[in-house]
């Protein structure tokens, strides 16, 4: 019998609550683990505090999302290589198997030139899967409402370069107007991590509850089952506009039910 695919919750899914709340909600709702988004939340940056939350709730850390966002360019270090190395160290200390990282920004020339070799080196040294995530184009400052440019090198699609491990984010495919199932095919056996969320096709990162947008969330999960996927699925939805704790909990419970149902669990 195949081992069930672990279904986790990203700490970003409870923002503006801190990371500890994600561990508590994961335990209450029955998630298999947590992905830690390392960002402005000081708990997310503190390995000792995260270990304490994991032990207190009995919820493991499945993955670490390296501080790759524009707003996290000085979290841990202004040097992106140092941030990625620290993310791998955190994953090792917390028992996580995966580090999620974005492709380099176009202006990070030195880091971008060395990125592929750095990822290979860190994976070989640590045994951690460094899963490079697909992205989407953004509106440039002062650009028209329809103008979109890629902030990433060489592109928003990590399969254009080729890595051993990938993260497929369905909110990002929606914002990019990409075919998520075709991207999964290109990622092939390298697809080891999924950020499950939905989008309406607007050119912005919506992170809706799966099933509330146009992305083939159900089809992708069923495809993973049929292809003996051995990775992890992490719900990365946006609940920051939830009017109260009860609604946030309902959205996270609905997301977990959706994932488990379409994974045949």
């Amino acid at each position: 019998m195949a081992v069930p695919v672990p279904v986790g919750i990203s700490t970003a899914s409870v923002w503006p609550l801190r990371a500890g709340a994600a561990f508590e909600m994961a335990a209450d709702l029955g998630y298999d683990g947590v992905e830690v988004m390392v960002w402005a939340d000081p708990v997310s940056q503190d390995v000792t505090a995260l270990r304490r939350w994991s032990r207190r709730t009995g919820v493991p850390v499945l993955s670490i999302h390296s501080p790759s966002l524009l707003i996290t360019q000085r979290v841990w270090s202004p040097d992106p290589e140092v941030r990625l190395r620290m993310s791998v160290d955190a994953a090792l200390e917390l028992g996580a198997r995966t580090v999620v990282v974005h492709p380099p920004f176009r202006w990070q020339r030195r880091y971008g030139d060395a990125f592929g070799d750095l990822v290979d080196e860190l994976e070989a040294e640590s045994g951690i899967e460094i899963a490079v995530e697909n992205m989407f184009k953004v509106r440039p400052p002062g650009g028209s409402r329809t103008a979109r440019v890629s902030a990433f090198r060489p592109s928003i699609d990590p399969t254009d370069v080729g890595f051993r491990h990938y993260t497929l984010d369905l909110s990002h495919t929606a914002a990019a107007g990409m075919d998520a199932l075709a991207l999964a095919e290109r990622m092939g056996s390298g697809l080891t991590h999924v950020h499950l969320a939905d989008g309406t096709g607007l050119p912005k990162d919506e992170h809706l509850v799966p099933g509330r947008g146009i992305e083939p969330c159900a089809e992708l999960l069923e495809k993973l089952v049929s292809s003996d996927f051995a990775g992890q699925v992490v719900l990365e939805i946006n609940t920051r506009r939830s009017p109260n704790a009860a609604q946030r909990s309902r959205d996270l419970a609905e997301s977990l039910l959706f994932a488990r149902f379409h994974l045949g669990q």
Side-chain angles (χ1 to χ4, degrees):
M1 181 179 293
V3 176
V5 174
V7 180
I9 179 177
S10 169
T11 58
S13 295
V14 304
W15 180 260
L17 303 181
R18 292 190 174 183
F23 283 91
E24 292 179 327
M25 297 194 77
D28 289 344
L29 297 173
Y31 279 86
D32 297 313
V34 161
E35 173 170 301
V36 176
M37 169 72 83
V38 182
W39 58 359
D41 172 11
V43 177
S44 74
Q45 304 171 29
D46 187 336
V47 171
T48 300
L50 292 168
R51 184 185 297 112
R52 190 179 303 122
W53 274 109
S54 180
R55 289 175 176 171
R56 181 184 304 169
T57 58
V59 174
V61 177
L62 301 178
S63 47
I64 301 292
H65 194 309
S66 180
S68 307
L69 304 172
L70 274 174
I71 62 171
T72 61
Q73 292 301 290
R74 294 194 173 275
V75 170
W76 280 348
S77 169
D79 186 332
E81 178 178 336
V82 172
R83 293 198 299 273
L84 182 53
R85 290 184 180 277
M86 291 182 69
S87 299
V88 171
D89 289 343
L92 286 169
E93 290 189 52
L94 293 167
R97 62 176 273 187
T98 304
V99 166
V100 177
V101 65
H102 294 176
F105 287 114
R106 296 176 72 91
W107 54 85
Q108 294 173 323
R109 295 194 176 185
R110 183 176 63 84
Y111 175 60
D113 289 343
F115 184 67
D117 291 338
L118 175 63
V119 168
D120 288 344
E121 171 199 327
L122 291 174
E123 288 193 320
E125 289 177 352
S126 67
I128 298 293
E129 297 172 353
I130 301 178
V132 185
E133 187 171 7
N134 61 293
M135 301 305 295
F136 56 97
K137 293 182 178 180
V138 296
R139 182 178 175 181
S144 70
R145 295 183 63 180
T146 57
R148 293 293 182 269
V149 297
S150 172
F152 303 94
R153 58 179 300 190
S155 77
I156 60 174
D157 183 350
T159 67
D160 287 345
V161 175
F163 297 94
R164 289 184 61 195
H165 300 106
Y166 298 102
T167 296
L168 174 56
D169 186 305
L170 284 98
S171 178
H172 292 179
T173 56
M178 296 176 70
D179 184 327
L181 297 178
L183 179 57
E185 285 288 343
R186 293 197 297 277
M187 290 178 171
S189 61
L191 173 56
T192 55
H193 203 73
V194 173
H195 280 167
L196 184 61
D198 215 330
T200 63
L202 292 175
K204 61 180 182 179
D205 199 11
E206 297 175 284
H207 285 284
L208 304 178
V209 170
R212 297 185 186 176
I214 64 170
E215 287 303 278
C217 298
E219 294 90 336
L220 177 71
L221 294 176
E222 290 161 7
K223 176 183 174 64
L224 295 180
V225 175
S226 66
S227 62
D228 296 323
F229 177 72
Q232 301 165 322
V233 171
V234 169
L235 272 299
E236 193 181 62
I237 67 169
N238 182 351
T239 66
R240 67 178 179 268
R241 292 189 177 89
S242 294
N244 50 54
Q247 184 60 53
R248 176 179 285 109
S249 182
R250 283 194 293 269
D251 285 346
L252 292 170
E254 179 183 331
S255 298
L256 177 60
L257 180 62
F258 183 100
R260 289 235 167 99
F261 179 81
H262 291 289
L263 288 169
Q265 300 174 8

